Amino acid sequence: MSNEVIIASIIFLVLLFMEIPIPWAILSGSVYYAFASGENLLMFSQKLASSFADRNMLAIPCFLFVGLFMGRMGLTDRLFHFAQAWMGHITGGLAHANIWASVIFAGMSGSALADAGGLGVIEVQAMDKANYDRDFSVAITAASSTIGPIIPPSINLLVWGYLASVSAVTLFAGGIAPGLLMAVSLMIMSIIMIKVYHIRAPKIPKCTLRERAKATWSALPAMGGPIILLAGTLSGAFTPSECGVVASVYCIIVGCALHRVTPRMLLEVFKETSIASAMCFGLCAAGNVFNWMVLTTGLLDVIRDAIMLLNSPWLILLVLNLIMLVMGCFMGSMQVLILLSPLLISISSLLGVSLVQIGVMSVLNLVIGAITPPFAPCLYVTCKATNSSVRGALKYTCLFIIPLFVVTLMVTYIPVLTEGLPRLLGMFIK
């Protein structure tokens, strides 16, 4: 490994620890390497431009807009009340309603933080009203928010599709079964925790059929967005970008029909969407340059060869899982995904693991970091939004990591969980 590579890596790490935004840290190290090794700087403009030319990436602003707009309209409470009406009367019923409300909300936000900060407040308040243990309520809310980046439309899977040149539609189909499996595993863990630790989780009165029908009817406008996104994308009627536009128009129409749209609210949503989209595009553009540096310097070969010395596909995949879990505890999931993508793509080819499987596995690993200290953004956002104690909720949150990690291992070693639905729909698995 050349001195230029070592110095470029040191520059990146130092800037990272100084909390410089990751795109600038990546570009700074890459610029130094280009100057030191005599590379043509025209490459930078080409790599940056190509990252903005991918049509699938245009779906990101649309998906972000749908999630932010639906949250601002106040329709997220209808999702939870719908789930509560059908499941609230069973053991841990509101915890289960919390989980399935997150599954539905995931179908329009694609973001764990949007779930934790928006829907989370409503869920914790409802569980407080039913006299649930506050720490348990916050923990299940934070844990269920991790389903957001797995159930389509997932922004992280879109980014992985761009990095690995995989169809976003195929990745979306591959994320459905793992996302539902996450929900079921969290439900099972909730029941076990309530029984073993005697957590206060009273049942609420069973709703009548009329009350359930009313809650379902009330939630239909909120569920229209996810239905359009899923049905339109998976059926092939729309590309992800087109589907995002259709869902955005649908949301605006629903908002106007319910008289919940104001010019000020619309401007605020556009502003938040623009900021979040710029961050995503900036990361992808910097990641494109970083990937070039890793490939041209031979750094990828060194790291890959070191991991391949383990000489066991099962052990190599386990090590990759552990690496991503640890990195996810200190960095955002998208940042880690971009940094590790060259290594993951290379090892995927050598092990004969599909890019769909390793992509969903990677995103799953990294979203667990969203509730794992010290970073744990979803846990902190939920606690801040609900004025709760992080320390109190952490004891239960750590237990919810167990079923999520079990699902991650299942996805890692059972290809049919990610490849089954895409193959059933006749999609090409790369």
Side-chain angles (χ1 to χ4, degrees), residues 93-170:
L94 290 188
H96 305 325
N98 187 319
I99 293 165
W100 285 100
S102 293
V103 170
I104 299 170
F105 187 72
M108 57 187 175
S109 73
S111 167
L113 289 176
D115 187 327
L119 186 60
V121 177
I122 297 160
E123 293 169 334
V124 173
Q125 287 175 348
M127 295 175 81
D128 281 347
K129 190 176 179 180
N131 200 31
Y132 269 65
D133 182 299
R134 166 57 81 92
D135 293 336
F136 175 74
S137 301
V138 172
I140 187 61
T141 299
S144 65
S145 71
T146 61
I147 299 172
I150 303 297
I151 294 282
S154 164
I155 294 171
N156 281 344
L157 287 178
L158 259 178
V159 171
W160 172 257
Y162 162 71
L163 295 169
S165 300
V166 180
S167 164
V169 179
T170 306

Side-chain angles (χ1 to χ4, degrees), residues 17-50:
F17 285 118
M18 290 174 63
E19 298 186 1
I20 300 296
I22 286 184
W24 295 112
I26 291 173
L27 288 174
S28 298
S30 301
V31 167
Y32 167 80
Y33 171 76
F35 272 116
S37 59
E39 293 286 345
N40 190 341
L41 290 180
L42 181 63
M43 174 279 309
F44 275 80
S45 60
Q46 293 172 341
K47 293 294 179 183
L48 293 173
S50 66

Side-chain angles (χ1 to χ4, degrees), residues 111-297:
S111 167
L113 289 176
D115 187 327
L119 186 60
V121 177
I122 297 160
E123 293 169 334
V124 173
Q125 287 175 348
M127 295 175 81
D128 281 347
K129 190 176 179 180
N131 200 31
Y132 269 65
D133 182 299
R134 166 57 81 92
D135 293 336
F136 175 74
S137 301
V138 172
I140 187 61
T141 299
S144 65
S145 71
T146 61
I147 299 172
I150 303 297
I151 294 282
S154 164
I155 294 171
N156 281 344
L157 287 178
L158 259 178
V159 171
W160 172 257
Y162 162 71
L163 295 169
S165 300
V166 180
S167 164
V169 179
T170 306
L171 286 168
F172 286 173
I176 292 176
L180 296 178
L181 200 56
M182 289 171 72
V184 173
S185 70
L186 288 173
M187 289 176 67
I188 294 171
M189 192 63 183
S190 297
I191 295 172
I192 293 172
M193 288 168 62
I194 290 170
K195 297 289 187 182
V196 173
Y197 296 100
H198 306 290
I199 296 171
R200 190 174 67 253
K203 297 179 182 179
I204 63 173
K206 186 176 181 178
C207 292
T208 64
L209 191 59
R210 184 176 181 179
E211 289 172 331
R212 289 178 175 179
K214 184 179 179 181
T216 303
W217 177 258
S218 176
L220 283 178
M223 291 192 286
I227 291 171
I228 290 173
L229 288 170
L230 274 175
T233 304
L234 297 181
S235 67
F238 304 109
T239 65
S241 301
E242 292 168 345
C243 206
V245 172
V246 171
S248 299
V249 172
Y250 165 82
C251 289
I252 294 174
I253 292 172
V254 169
C256 292
L258 296 175
H259 305 290
R260 297 197 179 190
V261 180
T262 64
R264 181 178 178 181
M265 185 266 275
L266 203 56
L267 283 173
E268 287 177 353
V269 172
F270 278 130
K271 180 181 177 180
E272 291 176 22
T273 301
S274 300
I275 292 171
S277 300
M279 183 194 72
C280 292
F281 285 124
L283 279 169
C284 290
N288 224 7
V289 175
F290 176 79
N291 292 350
W292 161 82
M293 186 187 78
V294 169
L295 291 172
T296 56
T297 59

